[in-house]
Amino acid sequence: MSKAENLQTGHVGLNVTDLDRSLAFYREVFDFEVLGEGKEEGRRYAFLGRGSRLLVTLWQQSEGTFPAGLPGLHHLSFQVDSVEEVRATEEVLRTLGAEFAYDGVVPHGEGATSGGIFFTDPDGIRLEIYAPTGADAAAAPTTGAPTCGFF
């Protein structure tokens, strides 16, 4: 395979246990639009994005909760422009009863200006929303390791 000069992540596919519940969560938290949907029993899915850009696909084909201790996805991160946007999303998540890894906006590491919120979706998938600056007012919750490591 040749080296592509403009290689970038296309979209992330996530297995979920209840498509309706996850679809409501991701639309409310991230303001995603449904770009496509499969409603056939045993083959339910949703393609989510903004405008015409596909960002996340949800596949109803799993049971249980996300196993953070097994190989695979560590966490899924989304960048926004400002820490104010992070805080606004935090409020939405609190109304939804989301579980947070840390209380409020935290920096990515000691002395870092970037940071955000770290939480889980209804299936326990670890998620992050962060801003590149504005998080340096708080101490990092983990010494010597990145906060985004969910340590």
Side-chain angles (χ1 to χ4, degrees), residues 23 94 103:
L23 190 53
R94 290 199 186 282
D103 189 30

Side-chain angles (χ1 to χ4, degrees), residues 25-40:
F25 178 87
Y26 280 86
R27 290 184 76 190
E28 181 72 22
V29 173
F30 297 101
D31 197 29
F32 285 149
E33 304 164 24
V34 177
L35 303 179
E37 228 176 332
K39 298 181 180 184
E40 180 183 328

Side-chain angles (χ1 to χ4, degrees), residues 62-79:
S62 62
E63 296 177 4
T65 59
F66 178 72
L70 296 177
L73 179 72
H74 185 272
H75 74 284
L76 178 56
S77 177
F78 294 91
Q79 180 179 328

Side-chain angles (χ1 to χ4, degrees), residues 23-95:
L23 190 53
F25 178 87
Y26 280 86
R27 290 184 76 190
E28 181 72 22
V29 173
F30 297 101
D31 197 29
F32 285 149
E33 304 164 24
V34 177
L35 303 179
E37 228 176 332
K39 298 181 180 184
E40 180 183 328
E41 191 60 40
R43 298 181 53 84
R44 295 194 63 214
Y45 62 87
F47 294 165
L48 306 176
R50 290 188 176 166
S52 62
R53 182 159 184 226
L54 177 63
L55 298 168
V56 172
T57 61
L58 302 175
W59 304 89
Q60 183 174 298
Q61 58 185 33
S62 62
E63 296 177 4
T65 59
F66 178 72
L70 296 177
L73 179 72
H74 185 272
H75 74 284
L76 178 56
S77 177
F78 294 91
Q79 180 179 328
V80 295
D81 291 332
S82 71
V83 74
E84 289 77 24
E85 290 175 84
V86 174
R87 288 190 177 105
T89 304
E90 178 186 7
E91 290 306 312
V92 170
L93 287 162
R94 290 199 186 282
T95 65

Side-chain angles (χ1 to χ4, degrees), residues 77-140:
S77 177
F78 294 91
Q79 180 179 328
V80 295
D81 291 332
S82 71
V83 74
E84 289 77 24
E85 290 175 84
V86 174
R87 288 190 177 105
T89 304
E90 178 186 7
E91 290 306 312
V92 170
L93 287 162
R94 290 199 186 282
T95 65
L96 295 173
E99 290 186 31
F100 290 85
Y102 309 106
D103 189 30
V105 174
V106 295
H108 281 133
E110 291 298 327
T113 60
S114 65
I117 54 175
F118 303 86
F119 57 98
T120 59
D121 82 349
D123 287 302
I125 297 171
R126 298 184 297 191
L127 301 169
E128 168 189 11
I129 297 177
Y130 79 97
T133 60
D136 50 338

